[in-house]
Amino acid sequence: MRLMWIHATWVIGNTHWGQILEPSIRKYLLTNLYVFVWTAPTFVSLPILGIPAYADGNGTFYWDTCLAVGNVVNVEWLMGHNLVYWVPPVGVIGYENYLEDSTMYYNNGFVVSQLGAIDYYYGYEQYSAGITNTLIGNQGGAGVWGPAPMSGVNQYGVFLLGVVSVIPFIGVNMTLPPGATEDIGNLLSPTETISFNGWTVEVANITWTFNIDYGSNQKMFANAFENLLANLFIPSLTSVSDAEFNVHFDNYVITLYRPYEYFTTETIWVNTTWMTIFIPQSSTVVSIPMYHQQSSTPPSNSYVSGVSSSRYYLLYGLYGYG
């Protein structure tokens, strides 16, 4: 194995595609080995909230996503002739938070569930279609992701880059309001194991579900998820290489509940896309913009992709309320 320094300048790029969150993105070069980029002050401010993405009188939804990419290119020969370039590691974290307002709480409303996903399979689809020429995935298997599936928990930790000793430890604790617990599930679907220049790479949509079913006045329901030690695979050091993957957020609540009559629901979702662009030059430049994809009619003055609401009439008894 041979190591090559990128000597990279990581910049936030401009584009006409989607909505880029330039005002909120910050970056750091840590010990000259890793670049850490985040879109809101999750790791630098208290209370931890993230981007105030959407508020409508029922509550306020916050989100954040962070990316850490190595500043070293590994060069490796496989089977004596295949040359592979890759950047280790790539660490991704997603964070979401819903602050329930008094109006919703006193209308018997509550947080039903949240969902989060890190979708490398989307990047694989872009790569397969020829839109990008490289990809990000987990070398040789499922990689290191968390949190693990759990039941009846009210606290857990997410430790972005905690397994990488050469840069500062970064970690946050998720705590639900008093009395609340949640069940955490995980699913890799769709997923595919492919060969990239002879290397085995898993590209999966890693999806977490956080089932809560609880209401609490003016309290925060926060969850986070992460994938560590993925890799950016580069086909060449003489041409531009680009890769994409998605981070998805979803918050589902009961905003109003009338026993034996009806209840109303609200779903808030966010689709974001991380892009990494490797541009070989005399002084190598790498760009990692983050795009916020919005639907055709997103709520005004919001940083979400969409919001939907529905009303359901009850025919039998009570609907579960925590």
Side-chain angles (χ1 to χ4, degrees):
M1 177 183 294
R2 181 161 59 97
L3 301 180
M4 298 181 61
W5 290 99
I6 297 179
H7 296 302
T9 301
W10 295 79
V11 298
I12 305 305
N14 293 303
T15 182
H16 66 279
W17 181 78
Q19 178 182 355
I20 188 168
L21 297 178
E22 287 184 87
S24 301
I25 296 183
R26 307 179 186 183
K27 61 184 181 297
Y28 274 120
L29 183 66
L30 303 174
T31 68
N32 293 321
L33 293 179
Y34 295 88
V35 176
F36 177 54
V37 183
W38 72 97
T39 59
T42 286
F43 292 100
V44 296
S45 68
L46 292 174
I48 299 172
L49 292 177
I51 296 174
Y54 181 72
D56 62 356
N58 294 309
T60 304
F61 182 63
Y62 301 83
W63 65 272
D64 190 7
T65 179
C66 307
L67 177 67
V69 181
N71 201 35
V72 175
V73 175
N74 287 271
V75 183
E76 194 158 333
W77 285 264
L78 297 180
M79 297 175 288
H81 60 276
N82 288 339
L83 193 62
V84 179
Y85 308 100
W86 53 285
V87 176
V90 176
V92 187
I93 190 171
Y95 169 89
E96 58 189 320
N97 182 9
Y98 189 76
L99 175 63
E100 183 179 0
D101 283 351
S102 301
T103 300
M104 177 176 145
Y105 177 75
Y106 289 114
N107 280 328
N108 296 322
F110 59 99
V111 181
V112 178
S113 63
Q114 294 175 351
L115 179 148
I118 299 173
D119 189 1
Y120 300 125
Y121 192 86
Y122 168 81
Y124 169 65
E125 291 180 313
Q126 300 294 94
Y127 168 76
S128 298
I131 298 172
T132 60
N133 64 356
T134 189
L135 50 82
I136 294 175
N138 289 300
Q139 177 187 329
V144 181
W145 50 262
M150 296 178 283
S151 298
V153 297
N154 63 2
Q155 186 176 34
Y156 65 92
V158 172
F159 309 105
L160 179 65
L161 303 176
V163 297
V164 182
S165 60
V166 293
I167 71 168
F169 172 86
I170 300 171
V172 291
N173 286 318
M174 300 294 105
T175 302
L176 291 177
T181 62
E182 66 182 359
D183 296 336
I184 301 175
N186 180 262
L187 178 67
L188 276 66
S189 180
T191 183
E192 188 163 341
T193 300
I194 65 170
S195 176
F196 187 91
N197 290 353
W199 278 38
T200 299
V201 181
E202 183 179 60
V203 285
N205 176 11
I206 312 170
T207 301
W208 289 263
T209 55
F210 305 93
N211 295 308
I212 303 168
D213 290 331
Y214 198 85
S216 191
N217 183 27
Q218 293 292 313
K219 300 297 183 182
M220 297 183 295
F221 294 84
N223 280 294
F225 49 93
E226 65 183 356
N227 179 244
L228 308 178
L229 302 184
N231 299 114
L232 169 65
F233 297 91
I234 301 173
S236 171
L237 295 182
T238 60
S239 60
V240 174
S241 301
D242 57 345
E244 298 182 6
F245 67 92
N246 281 351
V247 182
H248 181 84
F249 307 88
D250 190 295
N251 188 75
Y252 177 60
V253 300
I254 302 296
T255 56
L256 182 151
Y257 169 59
R258 293 286 182 259
Y260 301 101
E261 296 183 38
Y262 65 89
F263 64 93
T264 60
T265 68
E266 180 179 76
T267 301
I268 305 168
W269 69 92
V270 177
N271 291 320
T272 63
T273 298
W274 280 110
M275 294 188 66
T276 62
I277 306 171
F278 180 84
I279 309 172
Q281 295 178 354
S282 56
S283 176
T284 301
V285 175
V286 181
S287 172
I288 44 176
M290 197 282 296
Y291 300 100
H292 166 222
Q293 302 177 32
Q294 289 191 310
S295 63
S296 58
T297 56
S300 60
N301 301 316
S302 72
Y303 282 108
V304 299
S305 300
V307 177
S308 65
S309 300
S310 299
R311 174 177 289 194
Y312 298 91
Y313 290 92
L314 299 171
L315 298 178
Y316 304 101
L318 296 173
Y319 184 85
Y321 169 64

